[in-house]
Structures are given as structure tokens and as C-alpha cells.
Amino acid sequence: MSSPADDLVGTQTPHHRITGPAEALQALERAAPRLARHRRTESAVPDWALIGTALGTALPGDFRLLAEQHRHFRLGGFLAVALPAPGGEHAWLRGVRQNLEIVHDWWEDGMTAGLPPHPAPGGLLPWAESLSGDLFLWTTAGAGPDDWPVTVASRSGAWWHYAGGAVQFLAELLDGSLEPWALPEVRPEVTWPAGA
């Protein structure tokens, strides 16, 4: 993966920040109808306490609901959203830790736009990645996890913030409501990797 630059391109703010997890999930499922058709018939609740203890923080409600209603998936053959599942919490945490190591290396090299890796206050915590080497992170700042903005670390070196939650970010990336700064256009095609 190429090294990101140390400057932020900017911040995009949604016209309406969705604060309810169910509303955010509905927005994503509208933007990606195939995802809606593959919603679980029954919620599959990972061990959020185990995950919270391992990471030292709870995760945002929209991401938790997404994980409970869907298995991990890819959007447009580009963006991979790994989601924890019951019994798969440790495997999911390994993936997060691997991406945190990348962020830590960037931090040591002064290439994180001044943002430290988690668990530092306001640190970067990965939640998705592209198949091309981009990382999608939370900046863990604010009153709590539901206030965390999304930070995009593009392989082209452009870093930027989205002042909304992860699930709303995905919805607006697909429906064209936000500018995909330094990212390709992401089609609303949903696929599931083998073993998902």
C-alpha cells in the first residue's frame, strides 16, 4: 500500500446526519438493494463485550446493527466491509489489528495527517478497506462512538473526513451524495467473499 500524505483534503458533511442505527441501515439498503434482499432473517449478535474489551472501546451503534443484520460483504468489487459474527470475533479482531499495524507504521513515519492510531485519544480505528489498499477508519473523537467521524486514507495519499457514521458513509458513497475524493466511483453491486 502506498504511503498517505500528511495533509487532509478536507471534511465532507452530510446534509442530514443520521443518528439512528436503523435509519442508517435503511439508507444503505436503499442504496444497495441486493444487500437488503440478503438481510439475515434473525439477528446474529457477536460478543460485543469481548470486542469492546479487546479494543478498549465500544463500537458505533450503526456498525453494530450492520454486523447483526448482515455478513461481511464487498461493494462494487472495491470496498470490503468485514463484519464480526458470533464465533468469529477473534478472526475479525485479528484483521483490525493488522490494519492498525499499518496505521501505526504510518504514524511513526509522520504520514497520518497528524492523527495517532487507536487507542490514543482521538486515534484512528480501521473498520473497512478497499481491495486497492485504501483504509476506512473511525477517528475516535467526540462524546462517544456514535459521534465518531469516518476518515478515509486513500492509497493515492489523500486523507479526508466524513462527518457522519460509517453506515451513512457507505450509503452516500453508493448513492452519489458525497464526493468520492481520491476514490473511484463505487457501484452498488454487492458480493460476498467465499466463506462469508
Side-chain angles (χ1 to χ4, degrees):
M1 180 171 191
S2 63
S3 301
D6 37 359
D7 292 322
L8 286 168
V9 172
T11 299
Q12 293 190 53
T13 303
H15 295 295
H16 162 71
R17 173 151 184 167
I18 299 174
T19 56
E23 184 183 355
L25 183 56
Q26 288 169 357
L28 176 57
E29 290 176 341
R30 275 193 307 275
R34 188 164 187 230
L35 187 65
R37 292 192 299 270
H38 286 81
R39 184 188 270 222
R40 296 180 190 271
T41 54
E42 292 184 21
S43 293
V45 181
D47 187 339
W48 293 120
L50 181 152
I51 290 170
T53 299
L55 294 176
T57 183
L59 296 178
D62 62 335
F63 185 82
R64 291 193 319 265
L65 181 61
L66 179 65
E68 291 170 6
Q69 297 299 317
H70 292 282
R71 55 196 169 102
H72 58 275
F73 57 91
R74 292 181 182 154
L75 294 173
F78 170 74
L79 201 157
V81 182
L83 297 167
E89 295 90 351
H90 291 289
W92 181 81
L93 285 164
R94 274 193 302 278
V96 171
R97 287 188 188 107
Q98 287 170 352
N99 282 333
L100 266 175
E101 287 175 15
I102 293 168
V103 176
H104 191 270
D105 289 344
W106 290 343
W107 169 252
E108 286 185 341
D109 292 338
M111 298 183 300
T112 59
L115 300 167
H118 179 76
L124 296 167
L125 181 59
W127 61 269
E129 61 189 314
S130 81
L131 304 182
S132 301
D134 309 276
L135 281 182
F136 301 86
L137 314 112
W138 288 293
T139 296
T140 57
D146 291 329
D147 294 323
W148 294 348
V150 168
T151 299
V152 177
S154 167
R155 71 185 185 282
S156 69
W159 283 61
W160 53 282
H161 294 306
Y162 172 77
V167 176
Q168 184 176 3
F169 169 84
L170 294 173
E172 294 195 352
L173 185 63
L174 293 177
D175 72 15
S177 298
L178 63 79
E179 284 289 324
W181 293 339
L183 299 175
E185 180 182 343
V186 181
R187 299 175 313 277
E189 299 164 4
V190 182
T191 57
W192 290 268

